[in-house]
């Protein structure tokens, strides 16, 4: 198999104090609660020619165990709502993509299409929507539910939600707004398309009251890796934020999802797979390990156990910390693919509960690499060249230093190997990711009908 002709895509996953669960306790970590903190990180990533910055989101403070939550920065409390934050950042950046998470479980498709459509136009075509379903039971209580929504129901709603949003983004042809002052015609009615959607979950007439952006519509990103999640991604997603620890797992997922695209009339190039990577970089192996251990020593047992219970979807507090993971844990109604990943890790490496939470405290089930710039570039190149990834979402251990270390030390090594760009290819997120600009589906249908 020959060397790939494309280059690695890089996103910066910005979590305010850093991705390690104890990052906020580190003396060099930013508090991360002011706009200036994000302005600094966005400019840092843009100067390094990253494809995008990425923000996760949640709609509840996770306070089931208040004592454990009080010891975590990652307790569901965010400094800003991400679409609002990216709208502000769009005015101080020029090339980098702006991707925010928004849930189909607790949003309205018309409002969401309008918000991301606005961000896309404000940024000149650099917006992306990370479509997620919400498994957090505490979030359900904020939106009129008395219990966690079932996994199957969440994805059933998400399927229809995605269709409505994508349809609304095609409400207008690119040249619909003629603004002809002489004739007095502002737009061409023939280039307007009303959705008229009536489904199980939504009834949306349309059209969206926002024109198309320079990239056509926001890039659709997803993170689901369960069976329904992979099918939804194969049908609609243009990028996947994946979580895989081993090369074999990454290659299997890559082949599986890309192999499904043909069923929906799509090609492998229509979807970029970008797994998360948690890199701890040092100029020597010793320095890298010392950086990592300094963070590990800050983990409090109740915080580690709380994180593990959250990711596994099962309360593990009744079990001894230094005992094995029980073999008869129930299947979660939360994130099924993440539960499987975490439990498979424990069984593969024969980890106790304590060892497991220490193992996932940084990467949360994503890929963790501790080493020199050359060592980290080696494994990234291996995963890229073996079709386990099209790029990576960088999950820096602490902010801003962890991201700065990666940019200063690893990015030049990737460039030396010809694996990463030196300049942006275009001005929109689609151009830089190597994605086609979507054609308005209604315009295509009307043209075909007229022939």
């Amino acid at each position: 198999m020959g060397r790939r002709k494309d280059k690695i895509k890089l996103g910066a996953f910005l979590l305010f104090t850093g991705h390690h669960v104890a990052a906020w306790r580190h003396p060099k970590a930013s508090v991360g609660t002011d706009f200036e903190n994000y302005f600094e990180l966005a400019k840092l990533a843009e100067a390094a020619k990253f494809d995008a910055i990425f923000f996760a989101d949640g709609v509840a403070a996770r306070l089931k165990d208040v004592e454990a939550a009080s010891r975590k920065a990652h307790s569901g409390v965010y400094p800003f709502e991400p679409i609002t934050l990216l709208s502000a950042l769009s005015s101080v950046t020029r090339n980098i993509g702006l991707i925010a998470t928004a849930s189909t479980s607790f949003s309205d498709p018309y409002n969401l299409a309008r918000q991301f459509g606005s961000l896309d136009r404000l940024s000149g075509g650099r917006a992306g929507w990370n479509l997620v379903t919400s498994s957090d039971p505490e979030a359900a209580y904020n939106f009129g539910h008395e219990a966690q929504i079932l996994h199957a129901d969440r994805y059933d709603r998400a399927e229809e939600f995605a269709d409505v949003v994508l349809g609304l983004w095609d409400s207008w042809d690119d040249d619909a707004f003629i603004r002809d002052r002489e004739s007095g015609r502002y737009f061409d009615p023939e280039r307007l398309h009303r959705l008229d959607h009536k489904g199980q979950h939504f009834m949306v007439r349309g059209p969206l009251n926002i024109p198309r952006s320079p990239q056509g519509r926001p890039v659709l990103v997803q993170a689901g890796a369960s069976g329904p999640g992979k099918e939804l991604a194969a049908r609609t997603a243009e990028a996947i934020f994946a979580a895989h620890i081993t090369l074999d797992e990454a290659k299997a997922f890559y082949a599986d999802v890309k192999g499904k695209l043909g069923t929906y009339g799509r090609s492998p190039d229509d979807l970029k797979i970008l797994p998360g990577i948690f890199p701890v970089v040092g100029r020597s192996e010793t320095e890298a390990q010392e950086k990592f251990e300094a963070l590990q020593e800050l983990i409090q047992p109740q915080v580690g156990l709380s994180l593990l219970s959250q990711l596994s979807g099962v309360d593990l507090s009744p079990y001894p910390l230094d005992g094995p993971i029980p073999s008869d844990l129930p299947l979660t109604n939360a994130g099924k693919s993440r539960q499987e990943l975490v439990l498979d890790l424990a069984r593969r490496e024969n980890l106790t509960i304590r060892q497991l939470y220490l193992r996932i405290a940084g990467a949360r089930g994503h890929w963790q690499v501790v080493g020199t710039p050359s060592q980290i570039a080696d494994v990234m190149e291996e995963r890229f060249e073996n079709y386990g990834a099209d790029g990576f979402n960088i999950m820096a251990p602490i902010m801003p230093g962890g991201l700065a270390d990666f940019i200063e030390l690893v990015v030049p090594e990737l460039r030396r190997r010809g694996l990463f760009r030196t300049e942006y290819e275009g001005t929109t997120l689609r151009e830089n990711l190597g994605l086609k600009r979507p054609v308005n589906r209604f315009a295509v249908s009307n043209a075909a009908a007229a022939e």
Side-chain angles (χ1 to χ4, degrees):
M1 188 178 295
R3 185 178 175 88
R4 293 181 65 163
K5 293 182 173 60
D6 54 339
K7 294 186 184 297
I8 286 174
K9 307 301 179 185
L10 289 180
F13 185 168
L14 304 183
L15 201 54
F16 52 110
T17 60
H19 282 271
H20 195 281
V21 73
W24 74 274
R25 300 185 67 202
H26 195 283
K28 292 186 178 180
S30 166
V31 175
T33 56
D34 296 326
F35 176 74
E36 287 73 16
N37 300 133
Y38 295 97
F39 171 76
E40 175 189 0
L41 292 169
K43 295 299 286 184
L44 189 66
E46 185 170 58
K49 314 303 179 187
F50 273 52
D51 290 84
I53 53 176
F54 173 92
F55 288 102
D57 193 30
V59 286
R62 301 188 189 101
L63 302 179
K64 184 176 181 180
D65 182 345
V66 177
E67 174 55 32
S70 72
R71 298 173 181 272
K72 291 194 295 181
H74 307 312
S75 56
V77 179
Y78 290 85
F80 301 100
E81 186 280 320
I83 302 175
T84 307
L85 176 57
L86 286 178
S87 296
L89 290 172
S90 73
S91 67
V92 294
T93 56
R94 289 293 174 266
N95 294 99
I96 198 164
L98 309 166
I99 302 174
T101 297
S103 172
T104 60
S105 302
F106 305 122
S107 301
D108 176 88
Y110 189 91
N111 281 341
L112 186 144
R114 193 165 183 255
Q115 290 167 325
F116 277 96
S118 294
L119 176 60
D120 208 24
R121 288 181 55 77
L122 278 172
S123 63
R126 294 185 285 130
W129 167 37
N130 180 41
L131 181 162
V132 300
T133 66
S134 294
S135 61
D136 185 355
E138 296 187 58
Y141 304 144
N142 292 333
F143 293 88
H145 298 274
E146 294 182 349
Q148 183 182 43
I149 304 172
L150 294 176
H151 185 274
D153 293 342
R154 296 197 301 266
Y155 271 98
D156 187 59
R157 177 184 167 97
E159 290 273 358
E160 187 178 342
F161 196 112
D163 289 339
V164 172
V165 170
L166 290 169
L168 287 170
W169 281 336
D170 280 345
S171 292
W172 304 90
D173 291 355
D174 292 317
D175 55 354
F177 292 87
I178 54 179
R179 300 181 180 89
D180 188 332
R181 287 174 172 151
E182 277 196 29
S183 69
R185 175 166 285 189
Y186 191 75
F187 68 83
D188 181 350
E190 296 297 318
R191 291 170 168 77
L192 162 65
H193 312 286
R194 210 169 77 180
L195 185 61
D196 288 324
H197 174 87
K198 293 181 180 179
Q200 179 182 351
H201 299 279
F202 307 107
M203 186 166 65
V204 182
R205 188 187 72 172
L208 191 67
N209 60 347
I210 291 176
R212 281 163 72 86
S213 82
Q215 69 170 347
R217 59 172 169 78
V219 172
L220 184 54
V221 183
Q222 289 177 36
S226 64
K230 286 189 286 189
E231 286 298 332
L232 179 60
R235 187 169 70 84
T236 65
E238 295 166 293
I240 297 180
F241 179 28
H244 299 102
I245 295 174
T246 70
L247 175 61
D248 286 343
E249 289 170 343
K251 289 170 61 179
F253 179 85
Y254 189 101
D256 184 18
V257 176
K258 296 260 187 173
K260 295 177 185 294
L261 296 177
T263 305
Y264 301 102
R266 307 178 67 200
S267 73
D269 289 338
D270 292 336
L271 174 66
K272 306 299 178 184
I273 296 180
L274 311 170
I277 178 173
F278 176 89
V280 183
V281 192
R283 288 175 172 81
S284 66
E285 289 185 55
T286 300
E287 181 186 342
Q289 197 61 43
E290 286 175 350
K291 285 182 177 181
F292 180 63
E293 290 302 328
L295 283 165
Q296 292 290 90
E297 289 171 3
L298 298 174
I299 301 170
Q300 300 165 93
Q302 59 267 59
V303 171
L305 183 61
S306 173
L307 174 66
L308 181 54
S309 295
Q310 175 193 328
L311 292 179
S312 68
V314 180
D315 180 11
L316 295 171
S317 59
Y319 303 98
L321 281 180
D322 294 309
I325 297 288
S327 59
D328 57 348
L329 291 180
L331 185 64
T332 181
N333 185 44
K336 293 184 183 298
S337 61
R338 190 56 55 90
Q339 181 192 52
E340 183 180 356
L341 186 151
V342 168
L343 297 183
D344 282 351
L345 172 64
R347 289 160 188 154
R348 185 170 60 244
E349 300 186 9
N350 196 30
L351 302 175
T352 65
I353 290 177
R354 188 192 305 274
Q355 289 169 333
L356 182 57
Y357 78 59
L358 288 171
R359 185 77 164 75
I360 66 169
R364 325 290 181 81
H366 288 273
W367 187 29
Q368 178 174 291
V369 184
V370 181
T372 65
S374 180
Q375 289 170 332
I376 291 174
D378 282 345
V379 292
M380 291 176 70
E381 181 176 11
E382 178 186 42
R383 193 156 295 198
F384 176 71
E385 293 292 350
N386 285 280
Y387 294 91
D390 295 309
F392 304 92
N393 229 0
I394 305 306
M395 304 169 62
I398 63 170
M399 296 292 185
L403 181 61
D405 285 346
F406 183 87
I407 289 171
E408 178 188 353
L409 300 172
V410 180
V411 168
E413 181 62 22
L414 294 175
R415 286 189 175 131
R416 188 186 67 77
R417 302 178 188 205
L419 292 169
F420 186 60
R421 68 166 65 89
T422 55
E423 292 295 338
Y424 284 109
E425 291 83 5
T427 59
T428 70
L429 179 56
R430 289 182 180 282
E431 289 172 323
N432 292 322
L433 284 175
L435 295 169
K436 293 181 293 191
R437 189 181 190 278
V439 178
N440 188 307
R441 72 179 76 177
F442 298 114
V444 171
S445 299
N446 289 350
E451 292 180 356

